[in-house]
Amino acid sequence: KTNFQSSFVGHTNWVRVAKFAKISSACDNHTGGNNILTSLAASGGDDYTVRIWNCESGANVATYNYWDQSSSSSSYSSGGVRDLCFLHSASSLAACGTEGIKIYDMRSDAIVQRL
């Protein structure tokens, strides 16, 4: 039997996807700088945000805005994040949905590529 561990509270609309990764890094800013194995979760959905969670503490350690407000073809009500994938030992994250594919560098908290 699996016991309930915690809830991740923060999205303001439906969550459509969640992915999990275990990382070990002394320099990752989402693990607190400890050289230990840490579990992260990423979630995304209809609120156009990608959220990174520390699974041990339940804390929301990063939030990325997936919606490109500068795009004239973007309509906030037309969809959101539909899939996520951790890349490069969980130092990067790919998010895809109605705005295309965006690659986030989780070390610098920046979008590094749009496809």
Side-chain angles (χ1 to χ4, degrees), residues 10-43:
H11 283 284
T12 59
N13 207 326
W14 291 101
V15 173
R16 301 291 182 175
V17 61
K19 301 290 176 146
F20 298 87
K22 288 195 179 282
I23 62 170
S24 177
S25 173
C27 60
D28 189 287
N29 61 346
H30 300 307
T31 63
N34 298 322
N35 193 15
I36 58 171
L37 188 64
T38 302
S39 295
L40 292 179
S43 58

Side-chain angles (χ1 to χ4, degrees), residues 48-87:
Y48 283 83
T49 63
V50 175
R51 293 181 180 265
I52 308 299
W53 309 90
N54 180 307
C55 293
E56 279 80 28
S57 68
N60 180 195
V61 296
T63 301
Y64 304 116
N65 186 4
Y66 177 76
W67 185 44
D68 185 358
Q69 298 177 25
S70 65
S71 172
S72 61
S73 65
S74 297
S75 172
Y76 188 79
S77 63
S78 67
V81 179
R82 294 298 180 254
D83 203 4
L84 299 166
C85 180
F86 283 102
L87 309 169

Side-chain angles (χ1 to χ4, degrees), residues 27-30 64 91-92 103-112:
C27 60
D28 189 287
N29 61 346
H30 300 307
Y64 304 116
S91 64
S92 298
I103 310 291
Y104 299 90
D105 181 341
M106 294 180 9
R107 295 166 294 192
S108 66
D109 289 331
I111 296 174
V112 294

